[in-house]
Amino acid sequence: MSVLLAIVGGILFPLLSIHYIVHPRRITDASWYGHFSEYTNLYLLPPGFALLASVCWAYVADSWGFDEIFTVLSVVAMFWVALTAIGFIAMLGVPMPPFLTPKWVRERRKADREAKRQRRADRKAARDGTPETGTSGD
């Protein structure tokens, strides 16, 4: 019975991993942007599900006596553990490199930073009594 559950997990977890890799990169906007779940959806769930899939298939290979496949899957699982650890670090708020972040997230963050700079400049201009100058000289 446990081998059957591992096979089901070995099929289900890669599909979930692929979903969390492809879906955030295909959408142009998400309700979870800017929240804690952004880091979970982008960095923790894809390698986490891939890790679970590797563990499931390693269990099946070990149960059926395929030692070579078990060894390979164990090494692959170590890779996914490392990526899951990076995802956990991202959840703590450490910025991730651009190649790990979807393009729409980078563009939206850039627009948010520019809007924040503009609001700050407008508040400063209103406080100082000087007329608005438009955009800052970036």
mmCIF file with all atom_site columns, all heavy atoms in Angstrom, residues 6-7 12 25 32 48 50 56 68-69 76 78-79 82 87 96 109-111 130-131:
data_model
loop_
_atom_site.group_PDB
_atom_site.id
_atom_site.type_symbol
_atom_site.label_atom_id
_atom_site.label_alt_id
_atom_site.label_comp_id
_atom_site.label_asym_id
_atom_site.label_entity_id
_atom_site.label_seq_id
_atom_site.pdbx_PDB_ins_code
_atom_site.Cartn_x
_atom_site.Cartn_y
_atom_site.Cartn_z
_atom_site.occupancy
_atom_site.B_iso_or_equiv
_atom_site.pdbx_formal_charge
_atom_site.auth_seq_id
_atom_site.auth_comp_id
_atom_site.auth_asym_id
_atom_site.auth_atom_id
_atom_site.pdbx_PDB_model_num
ATOM 1   N N   . ALA A 1 6   ? 3.355  5.999  -2.782  1.00 0.00 ? 6   ALA A N   1
ATOM 2   C CA  . ALA A 1 6   ? 4.570  6.642  -3.290  1.00 0.00 ? 6   ALA A CA  1
ATOM 3   C C   . ALA A 1 6   ? 4.486  6.828  -4.798  1.00 0.00 ? 6   ALA A C   1
ATOM 4   O O   . ALA A 1 6   ? 4.943  7.848  -5.324  1.00 0.00 ? 6   ALA A O   1
ATOM 5   C CB  . ALA A 1 6   ? 5.799  5.818  -2.913  1.00 0.00 ? 6   ALA A CB  1
ATOM 6   N N   . ILE A 1 7   ? 3.909  5.871  -5.503  1.00 0.00 ? 7   ILE A N   1
ATOM 7   C CA  . ILE A 1 7   ? 3.745  6.007  -6.956  1.00 0.00 ? 7   ILE A CA  1
ATOM 8   C C   . ILE A 1 7   ? 2.776  7.150  -7.270  1.00 0.00 ? 7   ILE A C   1
ATOM 9   O O   . ILE A 1 7   ? 3.029  7.965  -8.160  1.00 0.00 ? 7   ILE A O   1
ATOM 10  C CB  . ILE A 1 7   ? 3.282  4.679  -7.590  1.00 0.00 ? 7   ILE A CB  1
ATOM 11  C CG1 . ILE A 1 7   ? 4.405  3.641  -7.502  1.00 0.00 ? 7   ILE A CG1 1
ATOM 12  C CG2 . ILE A 1 7   ? 2.839  4.886  -9.033  1.00 0.00 ? 7   ILE A CG2 1
ATOM 13  C CD1 . ILE A 1 7   ? 3.992  2.247  -7.910  1.00 0.00 ? 7   ILE A CD1 1
ATOM 14  N N   . LEU A 1 12  ? 1.839  12.810 -8.832  1.00 0.00 ? 12  LEU A N   1
ATOM 15  C CA  . LEU A 1 12  ? 1.161  14.053 -8.472  1.00 0.00 ? 12  LEU A CA  1
ATOM 16  C C   . LEU A 1 12  ? 2.146  15.190 -8.184  1.00 0.00 ? 12  LEU A C   1
ATOM 17  O O   . LEU A 1 12  ? 1.936  16.320 -8.649  1.00 0.00 ? 12  LEU A O   1
ATOM 18  C CB  . LEU A 1 12  ? 0.277  13.813 -7.242  1.00 0.00 ? 12  LEU A CB  1
ATOM 19  C CG  . LEU A 1 12  ? -0.475 15.013 -6.689  1.00 0.00 ? 12  LEU A CG  1
ATOM 20  C CD1 . LEU A 1 12  ? -1.503 15.483 -7.709  1.00 0.00 ? 12  LEU A CD1 1
ATOM 21  C CD2 . LEU A 1 12  ? -1.134 14.664 -5.379  1.00 0.00 ? 12  LEU A CD2 1
ATOM 22  N N   . ARG A 1 25  ? 4.753  32.276 -14.130 1.00 0.00 ? 25  ARG A N   1
ATOM 23  C CA  . ARG A 1 25  ? 5.450  32.929 -15.228 1.00 0.00 ? 25  ARG A CA  1
ATOM 24  C C   . ARG A 1 25  ? 4.514  33.261 -16.392 1.00 0.00 ? 25  ARG A C   1
ATOM 25  O O   . ARG A 1 25  ? 4.853  34.075 -17.240 1.00 0.00 ? 25  ARG A O   1
ATOM 26  C CB  . ARG A 1 25  ? 6.607  32.055 -15.695 1.00 0.00 ? 25  ARG A CB  1
ATOM 27  C CG  . ARG A 1 25  ? 7.764  32.124 -14.726 1.00 0.00 ? 25  ARG A CG  1
ATOM 28  C CD  . ARG A 1 25  ? 8.613  30.895 -14.705 1.00 0.00 ? 25  ARG A CD  1
ATOM 29  N NE  . ARG A 1 25  ? 9.744  31.010 -13.813 1.00 0.00 ? 25  ARG A NE  1
ATOM 30  C CZ  . ARG A 1 25  ? 9.686  30.862 -12.507 1.00 0.00 ? 25  ARG A CZ  1
ATOM 31  N NH1 . ARG A 1 25  ? 8.544  30.612 -11.921 1.00 0.00 ? 25  ARG A NH1 1
ATOM 32  N NH2 . ARG A 1 25  ? 10.768 30.967 -11.761 1.00 0.00 ? 25  ARG A NH2 1
ATOM 33  N N   . TRP A 1 32  ? -1.598 37.336 -5.110  1.00 0.00 ? 32  TRP A N   1
ATOM 34  C CA  . TRP A 1 32  ? -0.641 37.092 -4.034  1.00 0.00 ? 32  TRP A CA  1
ATOM 35  C C   . TRP A 1 32  ? 0.630  37.915 -4.171  1.00 0.00 ? 32  TRP A C   1
ATOM 36  O O   . TRP A 1 32  ? 1.531  37.800 -3.367  1.00 0.00 ? 32  TRP A O   1
ATOM 37  C CB  . TRP A 1 32  ? -0.298 35.616 -3.922  1.00 0.00 ? 32  TRP A CB  1
ATOM 38  C CG  . TRP A 1 32  ? -0.074 34.895 -5.205  1.00 0.00 ? 32  TRP A CG  1
ATOM 39  C CD1 . TRP A 1 32  ? -0.963 34.112 -5.858  1.00 0.00 ? 32  TRP A CD1 1
ATOM 40  C CD2 . TRP A 1 32  ? 1.118  34.872 -6.001  1.00 0.00 ? 32  TRP A CD2 1
ATOM 41  N NE1 . TRP A 1 32  ? -0.414 33.619 -7.009  1.00 0.00 ? 32  TRP A NE1 1
ATOM 42  C CE2 . TRP A 1 32  ? 0.871  34.062 -7.117  1.00 0.00 ? 32  TRP A CE2 1
ATOM 43  C CE3 . TRP A 1 32  ? 2.368  35.457 -5.869  1.00 0.00 ? 32  TRP A CE3 1
ATOM 44  C CZ2 . TRP A 1 32  ? 1.817  33.833 -8.092  1.00 0.00 ? 32  TRP A CZ2 1
ATOM 45  C CZ3 . TRP A 1 32  ? 3.317  35.230 -6.845  1.00 0.00 ? 32  TRP A CZ3 1
ATOM 46  C CH2 . TRP A 1 32  ? 3.032  34.421 -7.934  1.00 0.00 ? 32  TRP A CH2 1
ATOM 47  N N   . GLY A 1 48  ? 10.069 22.304 -3.590  1.00 0.00 ? 48  GLY A N   1
ATOM 48  C CA  . GLY A 1 48  ? 9.546  21.448 -2.526  1.00 0.00 ? 48  GLY A CA  1
ATOM 49  C C   . GLY A 1 48  ? 8.774  20.263 -3.082  1.00 0.00 ? 48  GLY A C   1
ATOM 50  O O   . GLY A 1 48  ? 8.949  19.122 -2.636  1.00 0.00 ? 48  GLY A O   1
ATOM 51  N N   . ALA A 1 50  ? 9.099  19.089 -6.134  1.00 0.00 ? 50  ALA A N   1
ATOM 52  C CA  . ALA A 1 50  ? 10.065 18.256 -6.858  1.00 0.00 ? 50  ALA A CA  1
ATOM 53  C C   . ALA A 1 50  ? 10.851 17.379 -5.889  1.00 0.00 ? 50  ALA A C   1
ATOM 54  O O   . ALA A 1 50  ? 11.141 16.209 -6.188  1.00 0.00 ? 50  ALA A O   1
ATOM 55  C CB  . ALA A 1 50  ? 11.012 19.131 -7.671  1.00 0.00 ? 50  ALA A CB  1
ATOM 56  N N   . CYS A 1 56  ? 9.581  10.196 -3.282  1.00 0.00 ? 56  CYS A N   1
ATOM 57  C CA  . CYS A 1 56  ? 8.604  9.134  -3.587  1.00 0.00 ? 56  CYS A CA  1
ATOM 58  C C   . CYS A 1 56  ? 9.205  8.104  -4.538  1.00 0.00 ? 56  CYS A C   1
ATOM 59  O O   . CYS A 1 56  ? 9.097  6.891  -4.302  1.00 0.00 ? 56  CYS A O   1
ATOM 60  C CB  . CYS A 1 56  ? 7.336  9.730  -4.185  1.00 0.00 ? 56  CYS A CB  1
ATOM 61  S SG  . CYS A 1 56  ? 6.281  10.572 -3.007  1.00 0.00 ? 56  CYS A SG  1
ATOM 62  N N   . GLU A 1 68  ? 20.721 1.229  -8.168  1.00 0.00 ? 68  GLU A N   1
ATOM 63  C CA  . GLU A 1 68  ? 21.347 2.284  -8.960  1.00 0.00 ? 68  GLU A CA  1
ATOM 64  C C   . GLU A 1 68  ? 20.395 3.476  -9.121  1.00 0.00 ? 68  GLU A C   1
ATOM 65  O O   . GLU A 1 68  ? 20.803 4.627  -9.008  1.00 0.00 ? 68  GLU A O   1
ATOM 66  C CB  . GLU A 1 68  ? 21.766 1.776  -10.342 1.00 0.00 ? 68  GLU A CB  1
ATOM 67  C CG  . GLU A 1 68  ? 22.843 0.703  -10.312 1.00 0.00 ? 68  GLU A CG  1
ATOM 68  C CD  . GLU A 1 68  ? 22.297 -0.700 -10.034 1.00 0.00 ? 68  GLU A CD  1
ATOM 69  O OE1 . GLU A 1 68  ? 21.055 -0.899 -10.136 1.00 0.00 ? 68  GLU A OE1 1
ATOM 70  O OE2 . GLU A 1 68  ? 23.091 -1.579 -9.701  1.00 0.00 ? 68  GLU A OE2 1
ATOM 71  N N   . ILE A 1 69  ? 19.148 3.191  -9.400  1.00 0.00 ? 69  ILE A N   1
ATOM 72  C CA  . ILE A 1 69  ? 18.157 4.264  -9.557  1.00 0.00 ? 69  ILE A CA  1
ATOM 73  C C   . ILE A 1 69  ? 17.947 4.982  -8.224  1.00 0.00 ? 69  ILE A C   1
ATOM 74  O O   . ILE A 1 69  ? 17.815 6.207  -8.176  1.00 0.00 ? 69  ILE A O   1
ATOM 75  C CB  . ILE A 1 69  ? 16.831 3.706  -10.105 1.00 0.00 ? 69  ILE A CB  1
ATOM 76  C CG1 . ILE A 1 69  ? 17.051 3.151  -11.508 1.00 0.00 ? 69  ILE A CG1 1
ATOM 77  C CG2 . ILE A 1 69  ? 15.749 4.767  -10.110 1.00 0.00 ? 69  ILE A CG2 1
ATOM 78  C CD1 . ILE A 1 69  ? 15.860 2.452  -12.095 1.00 0.00 ? 69  ILE A CD1 1
ATOM 79  N N   . VAL A 1 76  ? 19.692 13.440 -6.818  1.00 0.00 ? 76  VAL A N   1
ATOM 80  C CA  . VAL A 1 76  ? 18.754 14.443 -7.335  1.00 0.00 ? 76  VAL A CA  1
ATOM 81  C C   . VAL A 1 76  ? 17.993 15.086 -6.181  1.00 0.00 ? 76  VAL A C   1
ATOM 82  O O   . VAL A 1 76  ? 17.771 16.301 -6.164  1.00 0.00 ? 76  VAL A O   1
ATOM 83  C CB  . VAL A 1 76  ? 17.794 13.802 -8.358  1.00 0.00 ? 76  VAL A CB  1
ATOM 84  C CG1 . VAL A 1 76  ? 16.655 14.736 -8.715  1.00 0.00 ? 76  VAL A CG1 1
ATOM 85  C CG2 . VAL A 1 76  ? 18.552 13.393 -9.610  1.00 0.00 ? 76  VAL A CG2 1
ATOM 86  N N   . MET A 1 78  ? 19.068 15.597 -3.217  1.00 0.00 ? 78  MET A N   1
ATOM 87  C CA  . MET A 1 78  ? 19.961 16.557 -2.552  1.00 0.00 ? 78  MET A CA  1
ATOM 88  C C   . MET A 1 78  ? 19.953 17.905 -3.268  1.00 0.00 ? 78  MET A C   1
ATOM 89  O O   . MET A 1 78  ? 19.997 18.959 -2.624  1.00 0.00 ? 78  MET A O   1
ATOM 90  C CB  . MET A 1 78  ? 21.378 15.996 -2.482  1.00 0.00 ? 78  MET A CB  1
ATOM 91  C CG  . MET A 1 78  ? 21.550 14.891 -1.502  1.00 0.00 ? 78  MET A CG  1
ATOM 92  S SD  . MET A 1 78  ? 23.263 14.360 -1.509  1.00 0.00 ? 78  MET A SD  1
ATOM 93  C CE  . MET A 1 78  ? 23.058 12.624 -1.228  1.00 0.00 ? 78  MET A CE  1
ATOM 94  N N   . PHE A 1 79  ? 19.895 17.873 -4.593  1.00 0.00 ? 79  PHE A N   1
ATOM 95  C CA  . PHE A 1 79  ? 19.787 19.107 -5.371  1.00 0.00 ? 79  PHE A CA  1
ATOM 96  C C   . PHE A 1 79  ? 18.499 19.846 -5.019  1.00 0.00 ? 79  PHE A C   1
ATOM 97  O O   . PHE A 1 79  ? 18.501 21.062 -4.809  1.00 0.00 ? 79  PHE A O   1
ATOM 98  C CB  . PHE A 1 79  ? 19.837 18.769 -6.866  1.00 0.00 ? 79  PHE A CB  1
ATOM 99  C CG  . PHE A 1 79  ? 19.520 19.922 -7.766  1.00 0.00 ? 79  PHE A CG  1
ATOM 100 C CD1 . PHE A 1 79  ? 20.433 20.948 -7.946  1.00 0.00 ? 79  PHE A CD1 1
ATOM 101 C CD2 . PHE A 1 79  ? 18.309 19.978 -8.437  1.00 0.00 ? 79  PHE A CD2 1
ATOM 102 C CE1 . PHE A 1 79  ? 20.146 22.022 -8.779  1.00 0.00 ? 79  PHE A CE1 1
ATOM 103 C CE2 . PHE A 1 79  ? 18.016 21.033 -9.271  1.00 0.00 ? 79  PHE A CE2 1
ATOM 104 C CZ  . PHE A 1 79  ? 18.934 22.066 -9.442  1.00 0.00 ? 79  PHE A CZ  1
ATOM 105 N N   . ALA A 1 82  ? 18.681 21.543 -1.680  1.00 0.00 ? 82  ALA A N   1
ATOM 106 C CA  . ALA A 1 82  ? 19.401 22.816 -1.759  1.00 0.00 ? 82  ALA A CA  1
ATOM 107 C C   . ALA A 1 82  ? 18.494 23.919 -2.308  1.00 0.00 ? 82  ALA A C   1
ATOM 108 O O   . ALA A 1 82  ? 18.463 25.043 -1.772  1.00 0.00 ? 82  ALA A O   1
ATOM 109 C CB  . ALA A 1 82  ? 20.648 22.667 -2.630  1.00 0.00 ? 82  ALA A CB  1
ATOM 110 N N   . GLY A 1 87  ? 14.707 28.529 -1.377  1.00 0.00 ? 87  GLY A N   1
ATOM 111 C CA  . GLY A 1 87  ? 13.331 29.021 -1.310  1.00 0.00 ? 87  GLY A CA  1
ATOM 112 C C   . GLY A 1 87  ? 12.946 29.456 0.091   1.00 0.00 ? 87  GLY A C   1
ATOM 113 O O   . GLY A 1 87  ? 12.256 30.461 0.279   1.00 0.00 ? 87  GLY A O   1
ATOM 114 N N   . MET A 1 96  ? 16.217 37.554 -4.219  1.00 0.00 ? 96  MET A N   1
ATOM 115 C CA  . MET A 1 96  ? 16.680 36.486 -5.096  1.00 0.00 ? 96  MET A CA  1
ATOM 116 C C   . MET A 1 96  ? 17.224 37.084 -6.386  1.00 0.00 ? 96  MET A C   1
ATOM 117 O O   . MET A 1 96  ? 16.828 38.164 -6.797  1.00 0.00 ? 96  MET A O   1
ATOM 118 C CB  . MET A 1 96  ? 15.526 35.534 -5.432  1.00 0.00 ? 96  MET A CB  1
ATOM 119 C CG  . MET A 1 96  ? 15.083 34.698 -4.258  1.00 0.00 ? 96  MET A CG  1
ATOM 120 S SD  . MET A 1 96  ? 16.297 33.456 -3.802  1.00 0.00 ? 96  MET A SD  1
ATOM 121 C CE  . MET A 1 96  ? 16.953 34.127 -2.299  1.00 0.00 ? 96  MET A CE  1
ATOM 122 N N   . ARG A 1 109 ? 7.879  45.219 -9.596  1.00 0.00 ? 109 ARG A N   1
ATOM 123 C CA  . ARG A 1 109 ? 8.677  45.771 -8.492  1.00 0.00 ? 109 ARG A CA  1
ATOM 124 C C   . ARG A 1 109 ? 9.360  47.068 -8.909  1.00 0.00 ? 109 ARG A C   1
ATOM 125 O O   . ARG A 1 109 ? 9.445  48.011 -8.128  1.00 0.00 ? 109 ARG A O   1
ATOM 126 C CB  . ARG A 1 109 ? 9.718  44.748 -8.039  1.00 0.00 ? 109 ARG A CB  1
ATOM 127 C CG  . ARG A 1 109 ? 9.111  43.611 -7.255  1.00 0.00 ? 109 ARG A CG  1
ATOM 128 C CD  . ARG A 1 109 ? 10.156 42.606 -6.869  1.00 0.00 ? 109 ARG A CD  1
ATOM 129 N NE  . ARG A 1 109 ? 9.548  41.478 -6.184  1.00 0.00 ? 109 ARG A NE  1
ATOM 130 C CZ  . ARG A 1 109 ? 10.136 40.325 -5.976  1.00 0.00 ? 109 ARG A CZ  1
ATOM 131 N NH1 . ARG A 1 109 ? 11.372 40.125 -6.415  1.00 0.00 ? 109 ARG A NH1 1
ATOM 132 N NH2 . ARG A 1 109 ? 9.516  39.366 -5.349  1.00 0.00 ? 109 ARG A NH2 1
ATOM 133 N N   . LYS A 1 110 ? 9.837  47.112 -10.160 1.00 0.00 ? 110 LYS A N   1
ATOM 134 C CA  . LYS A 1 110 ? 10.479 48.332 -10.661 1.00 0.00 ? 110 LYS A CA  1
ATOM 135 C C   . LYS A 1 110 ? 9.464  49.474 -10.707 1.00 0.00 ? 110 LYS A C   1
ATOM 136 O O   . LYS A 1 110 ? 9.771  50.602 -10.304 1.00 0.00 ? 110 LYS A O   1
ATOM 137 C CB  . LYS A 1 110 ? 11.058 48.070 -12.053 1.00 0.00 ? 110 LYS A CB  1
ATOM 138 C CG  . LYS A 1 110 ? 11.805 49.224 -12.636 1.00 0.00 ? 110 LYS A CG  1
ATOM 139 C CD  . LYS A 1 110 ? 12.385 48.869 -13.990 1.00 0.00 ? 110 LYS A CD  1
ATOM 140 C CE  . LYS A 1 110 ? 13.095 50.046 -14.614 1.00 0.00 ? 110 LYS A CE  1
ATOM 141 N NZ  . LYS A 1 110 ? 13.621 49.721 -15.940 1.00 0.00 ? 110 LYS A NZ  1
ATOM 142 N N   . ALA A 1 111 ? 8.260  49.196 -11.192 1.00 0.00 ? 111 ALA A N   1
ATOM 143 C CA  . ALA A 1 111 ? 7.219  50.224 -11.238 1.00 0.00 ? 111 ALA A CA  1
ATOM 144 C C   . ALA A 1 111 ? 6.824  50.666 -9.830  1.00 0.00 ? 111 ALA A C   1
ATOM 145 O O   . ALA A 1 111 ? 6.591  51.858 -9.590  1.00 0.00 ? 111 ALA A O   1
ATOM 146 C CB  . ALA A 1 111 ? 6.000  49.697 -11.996 1.00 0.00 ? 111 ALA A CB  1
ATOM 147 N N   . THR A 1 130 ? 7.693  73.927 -2.743  1.00 0.00 ? 130 THR A N   1
ATOM 148 C CA  . THR A 1 130 ? 8.174  74.111 -4.102  1.00 0.00 ? 130 THR A CA  1
ATOM 149 C C   . THR A 1 130 ? 7.259  73.385 -5.077  1.00 0.00 ? 130 THR A C   1
ATOM 150 O O   . THR A 1 130 ? 6.608  72.415 -4.713  1.00 0.00 ? 130 THR A O   1
ATOM 151 C CB  . THR A 1 130 ? 9.606  73.556 -4.251  1.00 0.00 ? 130 THR A CB  1
ATOM 152 O OG1 . THR A 1 130 ? 9.602  72.172 -3.903  1.00 0.00 ? 130 THR A OG1 1
ATOM 153 C CG2 . THR A 1 130 ? 10.565 74.299 -3.356  1.00 0.00 ? 130 THR A CG2 1
ATOM 154 N N   . PRO A 1 131 ? 7.184  73.861 -6.298  1.00 0.00 ? 131 PRO A N   1
ATOM 155 C CA  . PRO A 1 131 ? 6.320  73.181 -7.275  1.00 0.00 ? 131 PRO A CA  1
ATOM 156 C C   . PRO A 1 131 ? 6.912  71.809 -7.636  1.00 0.00 ? 131 PRO A C   1
ATOM 157 O O   . PRO A 1 131 ? 8.112  71.569 -7.512  1.00 0.00 ? 131 PRO A O   1
ATOM 158 C CB  . PRO A 1 131 ? 6.334  74.102 -8.490  1.00 0.00 ? 131 PRO A CB  1
ATOM 159 C CG  . PRO A 1 131 ? 7.559  74.935 -8.330  1.00 0.00 ? 131 PRO A CG  1
ATOM 160 C CD  . PRO A 1 131 ? 7.816  75.050 -6.850  1.00 0.00 ? 131 PRO A CD  1
#
